Amino acid sequence: MPRELRRGFELASQHWAILGAIAAAALAMVVLLLRLLFTDFAPLDSFWKWLNHPATEQRTQGVTDQRAARLLREAQRYLQAGHYAEAARAFAAVEKLDPADPVADLGRRKAELLARSADSEYDPEVIRQRLAALLAEAPDDPHLLTLRGNLRKRGGDPQGARSAYERALEVDPDFAEAAYGLGTLALGEWQPDDATKLFGRALAQAPDEIRYRAALAQSLALGGDYATAAERYREAVSLDPEDLLVRAEHTLVLLHLDRLAEATEAAAALQALCAEEATAALKKNRGVWLFPAPDHRTYALQTLAEKRLFTRALSASLALLGGREAATKRLAALADAPRERGTPLYIVLLELSLYAAEHPHRQSRVDRILPLLATAIPHRESIDAP
């Protein structure tokens, strides 16, 4: 169709739309005017009676009730999936339709509290106070019981946390977050088999939750099942390619499987992503990276500088381990890297030492790398093991 003709059709459509709106407004004004002038006009009276008939009001209320019910179901789904901010908004929408709905009121306040508790910058004392108030209203709510467990765990009370998680599972045996919480306690106590069962239980209820899948992979790796762990990590990385800690753990598992080519490629990709400001600044990447080590201690990387140093050291070490001699200079340059602690390099050193013990035929190659890493670590006291 020629451009001029198409433009003509577009203008005509716009004009008709404007004329239609004007006509509708004019008709409404005419109806209103007739109602004011002719109070006994029968057809108009019939229309007005229909509009104000109780049955019409009931139908309108029915539509409102249906919408509220739909929004309530949507809010509950968001809550179960751990999308607390979205749940709070959906509960608030229900309250607008029915301000007296007690389920929506409690649900909104609960979802808001859960959303704030996930924010590390929010005052934990305020969280505790609001949690106590909500538990007074709903003492057997699994979401609130699990939050109590999380707060107790952060406060250094594992037994209190365990009690809260177990109570949540008594109320709802399928409550995934409580099973996940118990799994983290088992992992912290170096019981990978128990942790694997609990993380698997959580993942069965929420297959799309990356935290559960990555935690299951970690417990499998600590239990020595590197092959299954690698598959779970691969799935987690495919679900969220920007989660740097999951990528780091996946790389280490590939190393322990002696899949050097894959591990080297994964380490290079991890280093490149960690160097990107936008990716490193994501909230999920700003938390502390914890690495359970063969000596049954857990080592922490807290700052971005430490994480970047770790990825540099890991990438260079694996490249040299795979026979890329040019990586020797990259490793030697780590001694000049600005840093506050030696933890990033020490984690790589520990993982390589374990790898050599698992694969003795690689010992000679590892022996070339360990002195370079050890020399770059300034002081043994600088190793951070909380």
Side-chain angles (χ1 to χ4, degrees):
M1 182 185 294
R3 180 181 301 177
E4 294 79 4
L5 186 57
R6 185 168 61 250
R7 178 59 178 165
F9 277 121
E10 291 175 355
L11 289 172
S13 299
Q14 292 173 6
H15 291 159
W16 279 113
I18 294 170
L19 289 173
I22 293 172
L27 179 60
M29 292 296 293
V30 169
V31 170
L32 181 59
L33 185 59
L34 288 173
R35 177 62 183 170
L36 292 173
L37 295 176
F38 304 102
T39 55
D40 295 328
F41 187 49
L44 200 59
D45 282 345
S46 298
F47 172 76
W48 215 258
K49 288 177 181 178
W50 173 85
L51 192 61
N52 293 281
H53 193 278
T56 305
E57 292 181 1
Q58 290 174 5
R59 281 193 293 272
T60 303
Q61 183 60 45
V63 171
T64 301
D65 291 344
Q66 290 175 11
R67 186 181 175 204
R70 179 181 59 78
L71 284 170
L72 196 58
R73 289 193 297 270
E74 184 178 285
Q76 296 288 4
R77 284 196 297 271
Y78 279 135
L79 196 62
Q80 290 299 115
H83 302 312
Y84 302 128
E86 293 86 346
R89 286 194 288 270
F91 280 124
V94 176
E95 285 186 289
K96 286 184 178 179
L97 294 172
D98 185 0
D101 190 322
V103 175
D105 172 59
L106 178 62
R108 175 186 53 77
R109 289 183 288 129
K110 180 171 64 175
E112 289 174 349
L113 179 65
L114 291 167
R116 287 167 180 159
S117 70
D119 187 347
S120 59
E121 298 177 359
Y122 206 82
D123 186 351
E125 186 56 36
V126 174
I127 297 293
R128 280 189 285 269
Q129 291 173 2
R130 295 188 180 181
L131 174 62
L134 285 173
L135 278 170
E137 297 181 51
D140 289 332
D141 187 288
H143 293 277
L144 300 177
L145 289 167
T146 300
L147 177 55
R148 171 183 277 175
N150 292 342
L151 293 175
R152 287 176 173 176
K153 182 176 67 174
R154 293 174 199 166
D157 180 12
Q159 291 307 316
R162 187 185 311 279
S163 175
Y165 292 141
E166 289 175 346
R167 177 57 187 151
L169 287 173
E170 287 177 10
V171 174
D172 183 356
D174 295 332
F175 195 68
E177 192 68 15
Y180 171 77
L182 281 175
T184 61
L185 292 177
L187 204 61
E189 295 168 355
W190 216 267
Q191 297 174 355
D193 292 341
D194 291 344
T196 294
K197 293 175 183 176
L198 289 161
F199 292 142
R201 180 176 174 181
L203 186 62
Q205 297 302 320
D208 294 331
E209 179 55 62
I210 296 173
R211 288 182 304 129
Y212 302 164
R213 196 172 297 274
L216 175 60
Q218 186 182 46
S219 64
L220 286 165
L222 285 178
D225 188 355
Y226 291 127
T228 309
E231 181 59 21
R232 299 290 84 78
Y233 274 129
R234 185 194 62 77
E235 293 166 354
V237 171
S238 67
L239 287 170
D240 186 358
E242 294 182 321
D243 192 315
L244 297 181
L245 178 56
V246 171
R247 278 183 171 271
E249 293 171 346
H250 184 209
T251 302
L252 293 175
V253 165
L254 291 173
L255 168 66
H256 292 299
L257 284 169
D258 200 26
R259 288 157 57 175
L260 280 182
E262 293 177 68
T264 302
E265 182 180 349
L270 170 64
Q271 182 184 356
L273 279 173
C274 196
E276 292 180 0
E277 294 295 338
T279 304
L282 293 173
K283 185 176 180 179
K284 60 190 167 189
N285 293 327
R286 296 201 303 266
V288 178
W289 291 7
L290 298 176
F291 292 89
D295 58 2
H296 284 208
R297 302 175 76 188
T298 299
Y299 295 88
L301 301 182
Q302 303 184 49
T303 68
L304 178 57
E306 288 177 321
K307 296 168 186 175
R308 284 176 170 169
L309 182 57
F310 166 78
T311 62
R312 285 178 57 196
L314 183 62
S315 179
S317 297
L318 295 190
L320 183 56
L321 192 61
R324 301 179 187 180
E325 296 299 324
T328 305
K329 292 182 179 180
R330 291 164 55 194
L331 271 176
L334 295 175
D336 299 324
R339 62 196 179 280
E340 296 177 359
R341 292 187 290 268
T343 307
L345 304 184
Y346 189 68
I347 293 171
V348 178
L349 187 148
L350 283 176
E351 294 291 345
L352 288 174
S353 299
L354 176 61
Y355 167 73
E358 294 167 338
H359 306 280
H361 65 289
R362 302 289 193 187
Q363 184 69 57
S364 60
R365 290 191 183 185
V366 173
D367 286 344
R368 292 186 56 198
I369 300 170
L370 296 184
L372 293 170
L373 288 171
T375 300
I377 298 174
H379 302 290
R380 182 63 184 83
E381 294 76 15
S382 67
I383 306 303
D384 182 13

